[in-house]
Amino acid sequence: MAENVTPRVRAPREASVGEVVSVRTLISHPMESGMRRDGDGNVIPRSIINRFVCTFNGEVVVDVTMEPSIATNPYFQFEAKVMESGTFNFTWYDDDGSVYEDSSDITVS
Amino acid sequence: MSLTRREFVGTSLTSAAAFAALPSLSFAATADEAIAAYYRRRGHIGCRDHLDRARNCRERLNTVQIEVSAPGAEEIIMFAAGNPNPNVATFKFGPMSGSQAATTRIRLASEQDVVAIAKMPDGSFLKAVSNVKVTIGGCGG
Amino acid sequence: MTGQTKRVVVAMAALALTASSLAVWADEDADLVVNGEIEMVVRTDAPAHLDGAVRTIYSGWVFRQDDTQAMQMDDFDNPGMLFAEQGQELFNTAMGANGESCASCHTNAEDLTRVRATYPKWDEAHGAVQTVEMQVQECQTESMGMAEAWGQNSQEMLNMTAYIASIGRGQVIDVAIDGPAQATWDAGKEIYYTRYGQLELSCANCHEQNYGNYIRADHLSQGQINGFPTYRLKNARLNGTHNRFRGCIRDTRGETFAIGSDEFIALELYVASRGNGLTVEGPSVRN
């Protein structure tokens, strides 16, 4: 089980109607690939975040299926088009069943 | 690899020429299989190919920042052809997306080709390949 | 392995010959401002004790490629800051027999702002030069009633030292090398100029005489430690100072000292003093 998983998001707090805004996310996670062996030669079991979803007011911005080749401490940057004020919700799904969430509000005028 | 907007637009315009000039690609067999499996899943039969030999020589062994962009794409899938498990990620863009582009950081075990395939709404596919060199940190284990 | 290490030497000789054409100083002039507000000193006049061995001292940041540099310019892009944040949480977490956290005594973390810039430092009570790690261990066993302090290279310690460095970012490094610290400093200096391993290379051979050149594909810096702990893209984790020293000596095919050994404490003091005038950058991003 991954310890100390800390999600971080950065999205603007304000934008104008129809603006395309840049969103960045970073989460601390070892992303154990399942390909490594420990000191005794045993395979360290795979333990990764396998999916990341960002929604805005309930509708999908981006939905990412993640594989072990995503680097430790996964980072994403992408863009959203905002037509109204609302909330970005960010969800990361861990192999071990854990779900990590964060959110960020934006005022659109 | 940085597949810029311009390069991807270029892809559709020059695809025929690019396809003809395509040098033989040497993916690890597993990557070929992974890509074939992806095409099968998406019911794809033939595709317009494009090769983008990037000049990138990045100084990182384990973490390479990659940007993909394919305006209008429904999804973009990425492969690292030289990794034991070549699958990297699939980005599906929803109605709220502001562009069909994303940046992420991936592991690369060695110099290798990174492949991106974009699935377009008309059922066509775009493919781009970028060779990424990674240098080995000289010191400090 | 022998073949590989041989090549290092050959490459260095070749590089030394062609230094002018090969030394890529593309980013020599770049300035480092973190989060658009913390202004770093990445190049400045060498401290007097270097006696002209180098005229200008440079942060390791200067030698990295532009995209690695960029990752350190914004906390959001710097994965090392995730661990500094975890260190901050630890700082406020009760541990040990007395149920105290670091914050119980150090109520204002800002009071620790100068720590990274002034350590290793002479500790009167213990009659020895102490690293930040040793000071934290001392607080844990002597003040907090912890039976066992964190290991010098444990994840907790790396997170904590990253946090302590992060609150001192931008502070000008000024470690004391005279007075009671002098003997330790002398010992560190001697280690710095001693040739180690089958390759018979000293720290100075690489970091004083060949900085700016390429060794294999790696751009050699002055081996400064103002950026520690460093988040290395190579292993995607925080790396402590002594661990890096160990790797460098191992690369000469030499027997290395242990993390936390007297030799490495002395070497850390000496190397830190070679950076007097640069600013604290930890946790920095390196390849």
Side-chain angles (χ1 to χ4, degrees):
Chain A
M1 181 145 164
E3 286 168 20
N4 274 328
V5 178
T6 321
R8 290 213 274 163
V9 303
R10 187 179 287 178
R13 302 258 158 228
E14 290 170 16
S16 48
V17 177
E19 192 176 333
V20 171
V21 297
S22 176
V23 178
R24 289 188 285 168
T25 70
L26 183 64
I27 188 165
S28 59
H29 194 283
M31 296 292 281
E32 195 55 64
S33 67
M35 303 264 175
R36 293 200 314 146
R37 287 173 190 279
D38 64 17
D40 301 328
N42 304 315
V43 173
I44 305 172
R46 173 183 137 151
S47 169
I48 69 167
I49 292 176
N50 55 52
R51 186 175 172 213
F52 164 73
V53 182
C54 169
T55 60
F56 183 67
N57 289 348
E59 291 212 68
V60 173
V61 179
V62 68
D63 183 339
V64 189
T65 309
M66 298 160 65
E67 307 281 353
S69 288
I70 293 284
T72 308
N73 308 323
Y75 172 91
F76 291 113
Q77 180 176 353
F78 49 88
E79 290 178 324
K81 189 169 186 174
V82 286
M83 303 304 290
E84 56 184 3
S85 297
T87 305
F88 287 107
N89 281 296
F90 306 90
T91 318
W92 293 259
Y93 299 87
D94 196 312
D95 274 353
D96 69 12
S98 308
V99 175
Y100 316 105
E101 288 173 310
D102 206 341
S103 66
S104 178
D105 294 334
I106 185 167
T107 307
V108 174
S109 53
Chain B
M1 161 172 74
S2 127
L3 303 170
T4 63
R5 225 164 272 259
R6 198 157 33 80
E7 281 163 316
F8 247 109
V9 171
T11 300
S12 30
L13 293 177
T14 61
S15 54
F19 189 71
L22 194 69
S24 61
L25 295 170
S26 55
F27 297 144
T30 45
D32 275 343
E33 284 159 19
I35 292 169
Y38 170 74
Y39 280 150
R40 271 198 306 280
R41 278 199 309 280
R42 294 289 182 265
H44 173 56
I45 11 160
C47 84
R48 301 172 284 161
D49 271 352
H50 175 59
L51 191 71
D52 168 26
R53 289 261 157 212
R55 62 290 141 194
N56 280 355
C57 175
R58 302 289 73 177
E59 66 178 3
R60 39 191 71 169
L61 188 63
N62 209 355
T63 316
V64 179
Q65 191 156 306
I66 300 276
E67 184 191 343
V68 282
S69 167
E74 287 173 353
E75 66 179 39
I76 303 179
I77 184 164
M78 275 164 64
F79 301 94
N83 281 4
N85 176 348
N87 296 303
V88 176
T90 308
F91 297 87
K92 288 195 178 69
F93 299 98
M96 290 294 145
S97 64
S99 64
Q100 288 70 49
T103 300
T104 189
R105 295 174 184 159
I106 72 175
R107 296 184 166 127
L108 292 183
S110 56
E111 171 183 349
Q112 57 180 280
D113 287 334
V114 173
V115 182
I117 297 172
K119 179 172 179 288
M120 307 307 285
D122 66 359
S124 68
F125 291 82
L126 300 175
K127 180 166 127 191
V129 181
S130 178
N131 183 261
V132 181
K133 288 192 174 61
V134 283
T135 67
I136 297 180
C139 165
Chain C
M1 193 58 208
T2 318
Q4 198 179 4
T5 46
K6 264 198 196 117
R7 244 180 294 134
V8 176
V9 179
V10 172
M12 282 194 51
L15 287 165
L17 281 175
T18 54
S20 55
S21 61
L22 263 184
V24 175
W25 287 95
D27 304 308
E28 191 197 8
D29 298 328
D31 283 323
L32 174 55
V33 179
V34 174
N35 301 330
E37 58 183 36
I38 311 174
E39 290 182 18
M40 301 290 186
V41 177
V42 294
R43 70 184 67 73
T44 190
D45 291 343
H49 71 75
L50 277 176
D51 217 7
V54 295
R55 260 189 296 158
T56 307
I57 51 172
Y58 299 93
S59 162
W61 181 83
V62 169
F63 300 87
R64 306 287 37 104
Q65 287 186 347
D66 51 2
D67 55 347
T68 308
Q69 289 184 333
M71 284 175 81
Q72 201 187 312
M73 296 177 77
D74 185 324
D75 282 357
F76 200 91
D77 291 326
N78 180 349
M81 286 306 292
L82 287 168
F83 300 96
E85 280 170 20
Q86 291 175 9
Q88 181 173 21
E89 267 171 45
L90 287 170
F91 197 85
N92 294 303
T93 305
M95 55 185 102
N98 316 334
E100 288 167 318
S101 72
C102 312
S104 307
C105 295
H106 304 287
T107 44
N108 189 359
E110 311 269 289
D111 293 344
L112 301 178
T113 300
R114 286 293 295 160
V115 168
R116 186 63 275 174
T118 53
Y119 275 66
K121 189 178 182 178
W122 179 257
D123 181 289
E124 202 53 60
H126 291 79
V129 168
Q130 281 194 332
T131 61
V132 175
E133 287 85 347
M134 290 160 77
Q135 173 65 59
V136 172
Q137 289 173 331
E138 179 194 315
C139 285
Q140 292 185 318
T141 53
E142 295 177 22
S143 303
M144 306 177 83
M146 278 171 73
E148 211 178 320
W150 292 335
Q152 156 116 10
N153 205 38
S154 63
Q155 189 63 51
E156 288 95 341
M157 186 64 88
L158 288 164
N159 292 351
M160 182 60 71
T161 53
Y163 174 58
I164 292 173
S166 72
I167 47 187
R169 283 188 300 174
Q171 294 286 316
V172 176
I173 291 170
D174 184 16
V175 298
I177 63 174
D178 49 5
Q182 166 111 42
T184 308
W185 185 80
D186 286 340
K189 181 173 179 180
E190 183 162 340
I191 294 172
Y192 193 85
Y193 287 99
T194 301
R195 292 170 175 264
Y196 287 101
Q198 294 172 17
L199 299 183
E200 296 189 20
L201 289 171
S202 69
C203 312
N205 288 146
C206 286
H207 293 298
E208 184 173 283
Q209 292 155 10
N210 274 292
Y211 69 89
N213 292 334
Y214 282 82
I215 177 166
R216 282 185 273 173
D218 212 343
H219 198 184
L220 261 175
S221 72
Q222 290 182 339
Q224 297 283 0
I225 56 174
N226 59 310
F228 277 80
T230 55
Y231 183 90
R232 292 188 66 185
L233 299 164
K234 173 178 183 166
N235 56 16
R237 62 189 303 266
L238 288 178
N239 294 258
T241 312
H242 292 192
N243 199 28
R244 189 83 209 223
F245 290 170
R246 216 160 57 142
C248 274
I249 296 188
R250 210 173 32 221
D251 284 354
T252 67
R253 305 212 37 149
E255 286 294 325
T256 140
F257 303 108
I259 289 174
S261 62
D262 289 348
E263 287 86 354
F264 274 171
I265 295 166
L267 185 60
E268 180 177 340
L269 174 63
Y270 177 69
V271 176
S273 78
R274 292 177 68 98
N276 276 350
L278 296 174
T279 37
V280 174
E281 284 176 28
S284 65
V285 183
R286 299 287 186 262
N287 55 314

